[in-house]
Amino acid sequence: MDIKKKKTIGLALGSGGLRGLAHIGVIKVLLENKIPVDIISGSSAGALVGAYLAVFGEIETLETMILKNGRDFLPMFFDFSLRGGLVNGKKIDIFLENLLKNTEFSKTKIPFYTIATDLISGQSITFYFGKIAPAVRGSISVPVVFKPLLYKNKLLIDGGLSDPVPVEILKEKGADVVIAVNLYHKNEFSDKKFTFSGVAMRSTRIALHNLSKKSVTEASIILNPDISYYLKNLKMSEYFKPENIKKIITIGEEETKRNLSAIKKLLTN
């Protein structure tokens, strides 16, 4: 059943690393059910998926590309840096420019806002003009892993550190209904013996969980794809296998289908 468009619908895509593949499943189900997305915001992994949807107005091509060429992304991480992070990021810069066709925010099919964090001031920075690729690159720059990006007089790192599910910007820009996707809705229990890196990763996830709860407060509906159980059984070398990519996308689809009636009710009331 087609939804008669009465309200402006915003989609806030959250931080999540590999979990961000679930955003593809969320978007697929929304579009298949003729639920329009009028305005998009994204942080970290959500910035990448949101940018693609904003530029092209569809998500199936991105899904096909990732499923077919997932392992081709690995060489981008073998771009070592001696300052600021393990990965220099130049290969990722080129990848994003090609993926997003060097598009500017003003030329997207759907209005788009992406969030990054300024390492110097600690403030959340919203990008909505200029080239999209560098703004996304800043938003996905996980500290220590990626070298921070110097852009527009800011030193940019992961948007998830300041606004992991950017709902507020959509409300400010006129969204009547905001669908938020929170990939850190669960603070997983863990009693394993922690390594040095394990302590750092666990600490970051705890912070993202607590920040995400605050970020989604004003959302009209919150989708919570539960990916943590699946990911904890995967080795990093298995992340880009097609069957694992597909599973994470499917988890996003299933969560959206469970909430379809509630979403449609919000749009028609």
Side-chain angles (χ1 to χ4, degrees):
M1 177 177 75
D2 287 0
I3 300 296
K4 290 185 178 180
K5 189 172 178 182
K6 297 179 180 178
K7 300 177 180 179
T8 298
I9 304 164
L11 178 63
L13 301 178
S15 172
L18 189 68
R19 301 168 189 233
L21 292 169
H23 291 316
I24 295 175
V26 170
I27 293 164
K28 281 178 64 180
V29 173
L30 292 178
L31 297 184
E32 286 167 1
N33 285 272
K34 304 295 189 295
I35 295 172
V37 176
D38 301 305
I39 181 172
I40 309 164
S41 66
S43 190
S44 199
L48 177 54
V49 178
Y52 192 92
L53 176 61
V55 171
F56 299 104
E58 55 91 11
I59 208 68
E60 288 82 0
T61 306
L62 179 62
E63 178 186 27
T64 300
M65 181 186 70
I66 293 174
L67 285 170
K68 183 178 179 181
N69 306 311
R71 290 178 178 171
D72 292 347
F73 299 142
L74 288 175
M76 290 190 295
F77 295 93
F78 293 93
D79 179 18
F80 296 115
S81 169
L82 296 176
R83 296 182 61 188
L86 298 175
V87 180
N88 185 292
K90 290 182 179 178
K91 291 182 180 179
I92 292 176
D93 293 343
I94 294 169
F95 166 75
L96 290 172
E97 288 170 4
N98 291 334
L99 178 71
L100 301 172
K101 306 299 182 187
N102 218 20
T103 305
E104 296 193 1
F105 281 91
S106 61
K107 303 295 184 183
T108 58
K109 294 182 183 295
I110 305 170
F112 174 60
Y113 300 85
T114 189
I115 307 297
T117 304
D118 180 19
L119 184 61
I120 297 169
S121 68
Q123 298 299 307
S124 175
I125 308 296
T126 303
F127 289 96
Y128 54 92
F129 60 88
K131 300 287 186 183
I132 294 177
V136 171
R137 160 70 168 88
S139 188
I140 67 172
S141 295
V142 178
V144 182
V145 177
F146 293 104
K147 182 178 179 180
L149 178 69
L150 182 61
Y151 181 64
K152 294 187 181 297
N153 298 316
K154 308 290 184 183
L155 198 57
L156 302 180
I157 56 173
D158 195 337
L161 296 175
S162 56
D163 194 358
V165 193
V167 169
E168 186 176 347
I169 184 63
L170 298 180
K171 302 284 284 187
E172 290 176 2
K173 298 299 179 180
D176 301 304
V177 172
V178 176
I179 302 168
V181 186
N182 184 2
L183 301 176
Y184 284 106
H185 58 92
K186 184 181 288 186
N187 202 0
E188 303 98 342
F189 177 78
S190 179
D191 61 354
K192 64 183 179 181
K193 185 176 180 180
F194 291 109
T195 62
F196 178 81
S197 61
V199 170
M201 290 180 65
R202 175 68 174 160
S203 300
T204 300
R205 286 175 183 166
I206 291 170
L208 284 168
H209 167 72
N210 291 320
L211 279 170
S212 295
K213 284 197 298 184
K214 182 178 180 182
S215 285
V216 299
T217 303
E218 298 299 318
S220 308
I221 190 164
I222 306 164
L223 304 182
N224 298 310
D226 191 3
I227 301 148
S228 56
Y229 179 79
Y230 186 73
L231 278 186
K232 77 176 183 179
N233 295 311
L234 290 183
K235 298 177 182 177
M236 191 170 291
S237 60
E238 299 175 316
Y239 278 4
F240 290 102
K241 287 185 177 181
E243 61 268 27
N244 294 325
I245 292 171
K246 185 62 179 176
K247 177 61 178 178
I248 296 171
I249 292 172
T250 300
I251 290 171
E253 292 180 47
E254 291 169 348
E255 172 67 5
T256 311
K257 288 175 181 176
R258 279 192 291 270
N259 288 276
L260 265 180
S261 60
I263 293 171
K264 290 181 178 181
K265 188 174 181 179
L266 280 171
L267 305 187
T268 54
N269 285 351

